[in-house]
Amino acid sequence: SSEVLEAIENVIQGVVQSLAQKKAPVLTVANRADWRNIEFKDSVGLQMIPGCTTKQIRSDCPQSARRFALILKILSMIYKMVQSNTYATKRDIYYSDTLLFGSQSVVDQIINDISCMLKIPRRSLHVLSTTKGFVAGNLSYTEEDGTKVNCTCSATAVTVPSNVQGIKNLTSHAKFILIVEKDATFQRLLDDDFFSKVSPCIMITGRGIPDLNTRLLVRKLWDSFQIPIFTLMDADPHGVEIMCVYKYGSVSMSFEAHHLTVPSVKWLGLLPSDLKRLNICKDALIPFTKQDENKLASIQKRPYIACQPLWKRELEIMAASKLKAEIQVLTSVSADYLSRVYLPNKLQFGGWL
């Protein structure tokens, strides 16, 4: 915490010095959303290059003065929380003054900018993300406050903890981890008692694009157990994008890649090639929209696809057919085909990429 306080004090000192010299204070933040500032490394995923381009947030410029003020406001809130060892969610910060901030996304962006500017992970700033992910299966752990959580005996899923760094005593006999894209599929597998029938496993869903805590938990489970991690996604560009976030990270959070990515993640399904192999009826598939075409084209150009020839092939199949499928399409074969046949066969015979 002293490191965090010192980093914030240095920023404020810079502001005060500028004012003393009758200059307009300026804050410098990295251009997080620029692909030119990102490099791809097999072992880490997408990470920021050391000498990345920056942008200035000036206090004397109408376009950025408001942002400058909001950064200082949130820095002061973080400073107080670190001093008093209290925590707040991004949502708490937004609701502390909704008129001032205007929207939740403004708060989210500023917190990421601060984290990047100070080179300090968000958790150390005492700002917690609101969690939307679920975990179930062969796993138990102790939360920071001493609460014991057992995901094994629960018929319903457990919410991913809001302070993943604080959990300890993780124990599991799981043979693998299954990341499921959607909540509906996750609940279906839970109802079918999938995680105990096939072999003990841990199931996680970020319910779409994963939040920070879900990504942190996947990484923590990988560090703790070093067991295979598979993904079950829709066979569409959006599903591929979500899988890439777990595996290689995202551009906007590339400055924290080391804590968030798991490059060993495997693509289990639903593969575009599965649709033909399983004779899925064309009528059950969904035609691409223009947005799908653009998304797929942008994914195909990304640096990590070049080192994944098998993924590349699947994306080419998808691009050629211009058709996509949701995981639920497997129910057209039979109601419990996913949990009874598709997943057990894939896991037994190595049907992943």
Side-chain angles (χ1 to χ4, degrees):
S1 62
S2 59
E3 186 192 329
V4 181
L5 296 176
E6 194 181 328
I8 295 173
E9 284 160 9
N10 289 340
V11 172
I12 302 306
Q13 207 171 352
V15 171
V16 172
Q17 276 168 349
S18 298
L19 291 170
Q21 293 162 2
K22 299 204 163 27
K23 289 182 189 163
V26 173
L27 297 172
T28 305
V29 297
N31 262 332
R32 288 186 298 113
D34 192 336
W35 272 93
R36 287 168 302 186
N37 282 336
I38 309 295
E39 63 180 356
F40 169 65
K41 220 173 161 187
D42 278 15
S43 58
V44 182
L46 300 174
Q47 61 177 11
M48 269 195 151
I49 56 173
C52 66
T53 61
T54 55
K55 57 184 176 189
Q56 291 195 324
I57 299 171
R58 303 188 60 87
S59 58
D60 61 349
C61 165
Q63 281 81 20
S64 61
R66 175 178 157 74
R67 193 167 189 84
F68 181 93
L70 293 179
I71 289 176
L72 289 191
K73 166 75 175 167
I74 292 179
L75 274 173
S76 78
M77 294 172 83
I78 290 169
Y79 193 84
K80 282 179 193 148
M81 289 193 298
V82 175
Q83 267 188 326
S84 60
N85 196 24
T86 53
Y87 287 82
T89 63
K90 295 187 297 183
R91 214 165 163 68
D92 295 334
I93 291 174
Y94 167 60
Y95 278 110
S96 69
D97 199 332
T98 52
L99 280 176
L100 175 70
F101 296 120
S103 78
Q104 181 70 60
S105 63
V106 167
V107 172
D108 297 356
Q109 280 172 4
I110 287 176
I111 287 164
N112 284 344
D113 276 344
I114 288 172
S115 178
C116 188
M117 176 173 74
L118 301 179
K119 295 188 170 49
I120 289 171
R122 191 200 298 167
R123 300 162 297 295
S124 304
L125 301 176
H126 286 229
V127 178
L128 304 172
S129 303
T130 314
T131 296
K132 63 182 179 109
F134 287 133
V135 59
N138 196 298
L139 173 70
S140 59
Y141 56 85
T142 310
E143 290 202 338
E144 198 180 27
D145 63 1
T147 310
K148 288 184 166 51
V149 178
N150 187 349
C151 307
T152 315
C153 60
S154 174
T156 56
V158 172
T159 308
V160 168
S162 58
N163 190 355
V164 175
Q165 297 309 98
I167 68 173
K168 48 189 183 292
N169 306 333
L170 286 88
T171 52
S172 176
H173 302 295
K175 297 284 185 279
F176 63 91
I177 295 163
L178 182 67
I179 299 171
V180 183
E181 177 187 349
K182 283 179 168 154
D183 194 25
T185 310
F186 181 85
Q187 296 297 342
R188 180 67 209 248
L189 290 172
L190 210 56
D191 294 344
D192 290 350
D193 204 14
F194 171 76
F195 62 77
S196 57
K197 270 184 188 158
V198 178
S199 68
C201 75
I202 300 167
M203 294 197 316
I204 292 185
T205 180
R207 298 164 75 196
I209 294 171
D211 59 281
L212 193 73
N213 294 328
T214 304
R215 289 173 64 189
L216 281 167
L217 183 61
V218 171
R219 176 63 199 234
K220 187 152 188 133
L221 292 172
W222 164 247
D223 288 339
S224 304
F225 305 122
Q226 302 277 313
I227 52 178
I229 302 182
F230 301 111
T231 55
L232 179 63
M233 305 280 150
D234 287 341
D236 66 7
H238 190 63
V240 174
E241 169 107 288
I242 289 170
M243 174 170 60
C244 292
V245 168
Y246 284 107
K247 188 174 174 76
Y248 296 123
S250 57
V251 174
S252 64
M253 293 299 288
S254 56
F255 64 95
E256 267 206 64
H258 290 268
H259 308 287
L260 292 171
T261 60
V262 185
S264 61
V265 161
K266 302 277 185 278
W267 187 2
L268 186 69
L270 188 60
L271 303 177
S273 58
D274 288 341
L275 302 173
K276 194 171 181 186
R277 188 174 59 81
L278 297 171
N279 284 325
I280 300 291
C281 168
K282 273 261 171 78
D283 295 346
L285 305 179
I286 307 160
F288 262 25
T289 61
K290 189 78 194 128
Q291 204 179 358
D292 290 325
E293 283 181 46
N294 295 342
K295 170 73 77 186
L296 183 56
S298 104
I299 292 170
Q300 285 176 303
K301 289 194 197 96
R302 289 183 194 169
Y304 44 69
I305 296 299
C307 70
Q308 287 281 3
L310 297 174
W311 283 32
K312 200 169 171 227
R313 177 84 196 100
E314 292 294 331
L315 298 184
E316 283 162 4
I317 292 171
M318 201 190 291
S321 73
K322 290 193 175 174
L323 293 168
K324 57 184 181 178
E326 297 185 330
I327 301 162
Q328 284 85 337
V329 79
L330 296 176
T331 55
S332 67
V333 184
S334 73
D336 57 353
Y337 188 77
L338 175 66
S339 58
R340 191 175 52 83
V341 181
Y342 181 81
L343 288 176
N345 282 353
K346 282 244 166 184
L347 293 160
Q348 191 180 344
F349 301 113
W352 58 79
L353 308 177

